[in-house]
């Protein structure tokens, strides 16, 4: 019987030791997480001047294009005006077009669903500018808005309505034409086409 009680006492002591070790480990881990959260919070807080504008690629976020120049102004009969600000080649063989959509009418306007594009893959992703294309006349090629791996277009999304006199910024990303191409025609359903310079 004394052997049985001795083994039982040893098991109880071992269990108590394991509980103490576990609680110390959890306390250490918990403290580390709190420290990390404080460090993360400290690292994320920065001076207002250090903040960078966020791009909206495939996500529908707001883009802040360089509005200091205008490559083209496209006036539609539907009360919308597209002002194209930049068409810039990016590293990796992309061409990013940025601009502003303005509602020049005095009343609220719904964005035409034709701007989404006719492809079944992008119709399911909701409102976008996936119907925008670039035409390289010299190379006789048409470029469509790029898609991510889930089929979402790499352009501003979620523009369904613009207030009268209001505006929305946008971007759209395409495969870059050859470096010899310096001009392309930008086309969007229900809007006239316009020739823009690539930088």
């Amino acid at each position: 019987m004394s052997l049985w009680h001795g083994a039982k006492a040893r098991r109880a002591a071992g269990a108590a030791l394991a509980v103490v070790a576990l609680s110390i480990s959890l306390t250490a881990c918990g403290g580390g997480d709190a420290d990390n959260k404080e460090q993360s919070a400290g690292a994320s807080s920065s001076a207002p001047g250090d903040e960078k504008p966020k791009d909206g690629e495939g996500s529908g976020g707001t883009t802040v294009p360089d509005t200091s120049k205008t490559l083209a102004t496209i006036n539609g009969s539907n009360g919308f005006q597209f002002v194209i600000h930049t068409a810039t080649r990016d590293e990796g063989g992309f061409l990013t077009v940025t601009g502003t959509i303005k509602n020049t009418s005095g009343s609220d306007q719904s964005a035409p669903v034709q701007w989404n594009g006719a492809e079944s893959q992008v119709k399911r992703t909701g409102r976008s500018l996936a119907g925008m294309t670039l035409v390289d006349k010299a190379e006789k090629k048409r470029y469509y808005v790029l898609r991510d791996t889930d089929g979402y277009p790499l352009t501003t999304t979620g523009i369904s309505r613009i207030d009268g006199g209001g505006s929305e910024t946008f971007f759209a990303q395409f495969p870059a034409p050859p470096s010899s191409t310096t001009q392309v025609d930008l086309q969007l359903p229900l809007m006239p086409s316009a020739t823009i310079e690539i930088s």
Side-chain angles (χ1 to χ4, degrees):
M1 290 295 283
S2 62
L3 268 175
W4 172 252
H5 288 298
K8 194 172 179 182
R10 280 194 299 276
R11 266 189 246 127
L17 184 59
V19 168
V20 170
L22 182 60
S23 65
I24 291 172
S25 298
L26 290 176
T27 303
C29 290
D33 286 343
D35 291 343
N36 288 342
K37 286 178 186 171
E38 287 174 12
Q39 288 175 354
S40 297
S44 65
S45 62
S46 56
D50 295 339
E51 292 177 7
K52 297 179 182 177
K54 294 179 181 178
D55 289 334
E57 27 182 308
S59 66
T62 303
T63 345
V64 185
D66 175 11
T67 57
S68 62
K69 59 181 178 177
T70 298
L71 300 180
T73 301
I74 307 167
N75 292 304
S77 59
N78 53 7
F80 287 108
Q81 179 186 75
F82 276 72
V83 180
I84 311 303
H85 299 299
T86 63
T88 310
R89 293 179 193 275
D90 300 333
E91 291 181 16
F94 305 119
L95 177 72
T96 303
V97 175
T98 65
T100 306
I101 307 169
K102 297 180 179 180
N103 178 355
T104 57
S105 74
S107 58
D108 296 357
Q109 295 277 359
S110 295
V113 294
Q114 290 89 339
W115 290 357
N116 302 346
E119 298 171 58
S120 58
Q121 185 179 23
V122 295
K123 280 184 177 179
R124 67 180 177 81
T125 63
R127 293 302 186 102
S128 72
L129 298 176
M132 187 181 293
T133 59
L134 299 179
V135 176
D136 181 351
K137 289 180 181 174
E139 297 289 325
K140 296 182 171 64
K141 288 185 179 178
R142 182 183 298 271
Y143 297 92
Y144 293 87
V145 172
L146 291 166
R147 314 288 192 258
D148 67 13
T149 53
D150 294 322
Y152 286 88
L154 298 183
T155 181
T156 302
T157 58
I159 299 175
S160 59
R161 190 172 190 80
I162 300 178
D163 296 339
S167 63
E168 294 279 350
T169 57
F170 74 89
F171 83 98
Q173 207 166 38
F174 302 86
S179 55
S180 58
T181 299
T182 58
Q183 289 184 337
V184 289
D185 285 355
L186 186 146
Q187 298 180 342
L188 188 69
L190 307 180
M191 302 291 288
S193 65
T195 303
I196 58 174
E197 297 278 343
I198 298 175
S199 59

